[in-house]
Amino acid sequence: MLPDWPRALGTPQLSGVLKAQPEDFVVEEVFPVEFSDDGEFDWLWIEKRGDNTEYVARQLARLAGVQPKAVTYSGQKDRHAITRQWFCVHLPGKNFPAWDVPEAETWKILRKGRHRQKLRLGSHRYNRFTLCLSALEGDLDELGHRAAQLSQGVPNYFGEQRFGHQGGNISACQQWFAGTLTPSRFERSMYLSAARSYLFNTVLANRVLDGSWNTGLEGEIYALRDSGSVFSAERNEETLARLASGDIQATGPLFGKAGRLVVSAAAASAEEAVYSLHADLCEGLLKHGLSMERRALRLIPQDFQWQFTGNKSLELSFSLPRGCFATALVRELIRYPLAN
């Protein structure tokens, strides 16, 4: 079972439902594409409903008569949602397929084109979300007050879907590291990602509790808001001003072997305290060759808008950088049952 990570605004008094139906959670990659109209790659703009990204990729491989590894995409998207994203199929020496999707499928091709470039993981920079929170119960004035504060940023937690049903990916990872479980190649990647995410969330949770998640500590590594490039800096008036404006963000660890930039002083102490409590996860990640990366502790939504659409429903729209979770915003607004 996952912890109920602490919230910046405290535990909401309101409850509600997220994803009562797939149409309540719409996400679209922000990724403009200009086709070269030649080359070996078919790019497909696909809308799916109730399917995960891997499933659609396998179906595309089947339709094209290629191996699954010939199909790529920029990012994984939610299953219980309406999502629009690019897929790419490598078809060297082959004609442009008809791409006739069977009527029984719950996904469809909205646009297609041929390109000389391959679509690679992490190619898009942002996702655009439109969410509907329904069956709201509680003080709606509090909900409006909380929504008005979200544009200033929220803790950048990994969402519960990263950890599997009731956090099962973490326990499975621990069994794997202990030698009592032999996962598949796909499961290994999933478990390693879950372990790093769990350590990050734990560091972030502690810093939400002590109030340093959006103000920084001595010895911090910072990230530029737009590029994500990381750097070290003294915690002086200029740094604090840039933090306050959202130009830079304090970062937390995606654990692995330390590289050139490492935290020190109070920031290092905050992270070491978590590592000591989860030595099994840290040792396993190092054993499997993971290198340290950094992730912003604060998530600031772009173009954030909200409106009540009925007595007991609220619509949210916003953009987030890739790899960030819309549920990090929603959990600051309401308490909701976990879909997984």
Side-chain angles (χ1 to χ4, degrees), residues 275-309:
Y275 303 157
S276 64
L277 293 175
H278 301 286
D280 58 336
L281 295 180
C282 294
E283 291 171 4
L285 289 168
L286 291 175
K287 179 181 177 181
H288 286 87
L290 275 293
S291 296
M292 181 74 78
E293 299 177 59
R294 307 297 298 182
R295 172 183 169 93
L297 294 177
R298 177 173 55 175
L299 173 61
I300 300 178
Q302 300 296 303
D303 303 319
F304 180 75
Q305 300 177 31
W306 61 276
Q307 63 176 347
F308 289 107
T309 55

Side-chain angles (χ1 to χ4, degrees), residues 7 20 47 61 88 116 119 150 153 164 210 216 218 240 270 273 283 286:
R7 297 164 173 82
E47 178 181 283
C88 174
R116 66 185 62 162
L119 174 60
L150 293 190
D210 69 22
E218 293 291 344
L240 293 175
E283 291 171 4
L286 291 175

Side-chain angles (χ1 to χ4, degrees), residues 163-176:
F163 305 103
H165 180 63
Q166 296 185 346
N169 288 351
I170 297 299
S171 59
C173 185
Q174 291 172 321
Q175 294 174 53
W176 173 33

Side-chain angles (χ1 to χ4, degrees), residues 88-109:
C88 174
V89 186
H90 190 199
L91 298 165
K94 295 188 177 183
N95 294 325
F96 198 97
W99 294 117
D100 294 326
V101 180
E103 293 184 4
E105 294 288 357
T106 53
W107 57 275
K108 58 186 177 182
I109 298 172

Side-chain angles (χ1 to χ4, degrees), residues 31-99:
F31 189 14
V33 176
E34 293 185 8
F35 295 121
S36 63
D37 295 325
D38 61 355
E40 299 180 343
F41 301 95
D42 275 8
W43 285 46
L44 307 166
W45 181 240
I46 288 178
E47 178 181 283
K48 61 184 184 64
R49 180 187 191 277
D51 294 317
N52 63 40
T53 300
E54 279 291 332
Y55 170 79
V56 174
R58 291 195 302 271
Q59 300 313 302
L60 290 174
R62 182 181 60 80
L63 289 175
V66 297
Q67 294 296 315
K69 65 181 181 181
V71 182
T72 59
Y73 45 81
S74 183
Q76 293 271 5
K77 294 293 180 291
D78 297 78
R79 176 182 178 183
H80 302 290
I82 302 293
T83 70
R84 303 181 190 99
Q85 68 178 118
W86 285 105
F87 290 80
C88 174
V89 186
H90 190 199
L91 298 165
K94 295 188 177 183
N95 294 325
F96 198 97
W99 294 117

Side-chain angles (χ1 to χ4, degrees), residues 140-205:
L140 295 185
D141 290 336
E142 184 204 20
L143 183 60
H145 176 69
R146 283 175 172 265
Q149 297 183 69
L150 293 190
S151 61
Q152 302 303 308
V154 299
N156 190 21
Y157 288 117
F158 286 96
E160 58 269 8
Q161 57 266 53
R162 175 60 60 92
F163 305 103
H165 180 63
Q166 296 185 346
N169 288 351
I170 297 299
S171 59
C173 185
Q174 291 172 321
Q175 294 174 53
W176 173 33
F177 288 170
T180 59
L181 179 69
T182 304
S184 67
R185 182 176 179 180
F186 174 76
E187 289 172 331
R188 291 180 183 184
S189 175
M190 183 169 59
Y191 297 159
L192 292 173
S193 179
R196 298 177 94 191
S197 301
Y198 186 85
L199 293 172
F200 175 90
N201 275 15
T202 305
V203 170
L204 176 53

